[in-house]
Amino acid sequence: MIQTSKKGDWFELTIPEEWQHYTLETLFRDWWKAPRKLVHLYRMDKLVLLNSKIPDWTVPLAKGDKLRIKFFAEEPYDVIPEYREIGVLYEDEHLIVFNKPAGMDTHPNQAGQTGTLENVAAFHLQANGELTRPRHIHRLDRDTTGAVLFAKHAFMAAILDKMLEERSINRTYLALTDGIIKQKKGTINQPIGRDRHHPTRRRVSETGQSASTHFKVIERLRQKELTLIACTLDTGRTHQIRVHLSYLGHPLAGDNLYGGSSLFHRQALHAVKLEFVHPFTGEKINCHAPFLDEPPIFKGIDPFTI
């Protein structure tokens, strides 16, 4: 694992042996795949030091070199910090994973909105003396529960956005569908677009964005006419799992918007697991999100076995 530390506003990293063939230019561009504009800003504003000096970005790095990057300078919040007790599944100086409850938006949809997970994230950082702005990397629907990833500074947000785009961040969802799904596993490849007849609903549409959902059956609950499945996504379209399972003829139980039964008070969908390799330390991050509902929707299921 790569040795790192936080020193005030600066992040320090010790260059490992396997990075010796990189220059700073290629490390930022090829290893971290950081956006050109952001790298240019760090370079021009002298926010990157090598062995406490302004570096030559074209010289190969050496094992043991001390790389410092000014990640943690104070910046204004664009959301209102708001206290609420929310479970934290993982946290370090660069990122944080929350366990989102039902009935909460991931982020504000208009200026001044409160009650969202991003408001809570802002308060959490402020209370810990971290005055950088939280940035959500992905989102969950208001009534979907589970793991949501935030970056604590712009550079980490850019890297995680790229990782998400390249499918290096793996997200697993648990779902209870109406009816018994007969096949053991499958993939739904159907484009998703807006429903012209409803302001929030989406639908499978030839003119929509490409979308791919993989699923496998965990258990068939024949007495309740439900199927427990695990889903993974190649894309992250709005309402993707809900739309695809409804298209399959097995909508989520409790999902009134997409034709699901009224068995539960919300759609039975939970982001149970989030996995990725930390961009700076090389550590494998594996977050399991405990269930939050009361009464429990996923009664008798251990999320740590998924």
Side-chain angles (χ1 to χ4, degrees):
M1 198 163 67
I2 299 169
Q3 183 180 343
T4 68
S5 61
K6 181 179 179 181
K7 298 182 182 298
D9 290 349
W10 295 81
F11 167 65
E12 184 175 280
L13 180 152
T14 302
I15 300 298
E17 185 175 354
E18 59 266 31
W19 285 6
Q20 289 188 109
H21 65 288
Y22 286 106
T23 64
L24 278 180
E25 202 168 72
T26 58
L27 180 69
F28 277 70
R29 184 188 67 210
D30 300 335
W31 179 258
W32 285 325
K33 299 179 181 178
R36 287 183 181 180
K37 286 185 178 180
L38 189 60
V39 175
H40 182 74
L41 173 67
Y42 277 76
R43 194 168 179 171
M44 292 299 101
D45 288 357
K46 298 180 175 55
L47 302 179
V48 177
L49 301 176
L50 192 65
N51 300 320
S52 301
K53 298 177 181 178
I54 296 171
D56 183 337
W57 283 64
T58 64
V59 174
L61 299 167
K63 178 184 177 182
D65 279 348
K66 302 293 185 183
L67 174 63
R68 283 192 176 188
I69 313 171
K70 195 172 185 179
F71 285 151
F72 309 113
E74 184 175 341
E75 58 183 341
Y77 286 71
D78 60 353
V79 297
I80 300 168
E82 182 179 16
Y83 173 76
R84 180 168 170 178
E85 194 69 39
I86 300 289
V88 173
L89 304 176
Y90 175 85
E91 183 177 14
D92 62 23
E93 60 265 38
H94 305 285
L95 56 90
I96 185 167
V97 182
F98 290 101
N99 191 11
K100 188 184 87 67
M104 174 181 279
D105 290 326
T106 300
H107 57 84
N109 295 305
Q110 57 189 19
Q113 182 180 343
T114 58
T116 78
L117 188 58
E118 195 162 317
N119 297 109
V120 174
F123 183 93
H124 180 90
L125 266 61
Q126 190 179 77
N128 290 337
E130 299 174 275
L131 301 179
T132 56
R133 179 167 61 86
R135 296 155 167 91
H136 67 277
I137 304 304
H138 60 105
R139 60 182 293 276
L140 295 179
D141 294 339
R142 180 178 177 83
D143 284 330
T144 298
T145 54
V148 181
L149 173 62
F150 282 80
K152 292 186 177 183
H153 54 79
F155 193 83
M156 178 55 84
I159 295 175
L160 292 176
D161 282 342
K162 190 67 175 177
M163 289 173 64
L164 191 68
E165 179 187 327
E166 295 180 344
R167 304 174 191 170
S168 299
I169 299 175
N170 299 314
R171 293 171 288 164
T172 303
Y173 296 78
L174 274 180
L176 278 168
T177 72
D178 287 327
I180 303 300
I181 298 177
K182 293 180 179 179
Q183 65 260 51
K184 291 182 179 179
K185 60 182 179 180
T187 298
I188 308 167
N189 281 308
Q190 294 292 337
I192 293 175
R194 290 184 176 273
D195 188 330
R196 291 174 297 172
H197 306 292
H198 195 283
T200 59
R201 192 163 51 204
R202 301 298 194 271
R203 65 185 182 92
V204 167
S205 168
E206 291 183 1
T207 59
Q209 295 177 297
S210 62
S212 179
T213 302
H214 308 284
F215 69 89
K216 67 176 181 179
V217 171
I218 305 297
E219 187 178 357
R220 296 180 179 91
L221 307 172
R222 297 189 183 278
Q223 289 184 336
K224 297 181 179 180
E225 279 293 304
L226 297 171
T227 304
L228 175 67
I229 63 172
C231 297
T232 56
L233 308 179
D234 286 344
T235 50
R237 309 304 178 203
T238 300
H239 297 179
Q240 179 172 321
I241 293 174
R242 301 167 67 186
V243 173
H244 274 172
L245 290 174
S246 180
Y247 174 83
L248 192 66
H250 294 279
L252 292 173
D255 192 353
N256 297 325
L257 187 61
Y258 291 102
S261 65
S262 57
L263 189 60
F264 303 119
H265 60 278
R266 65 170 181 91
Q267 68 262 16
L269 185 62
H270 179 73
V272 69
K273 189 163 63 172
L274 184 70
E275 301 170 285
F276 59 96
V277 175
H278 198 291
F280 295 139
T281 67
E283 178 187 5
K284 179 69 179 290
I285 308 298
N286 191 330
C287 298
H288 279 81
F291 303 124
L292 299 171
D293 279 292
E294 191 59 47
I297 289 177
F298 295 95
K299 187 176 182 180
I301 300 162
D302 183 359
F304 292 89
T305 62
I306 303 301

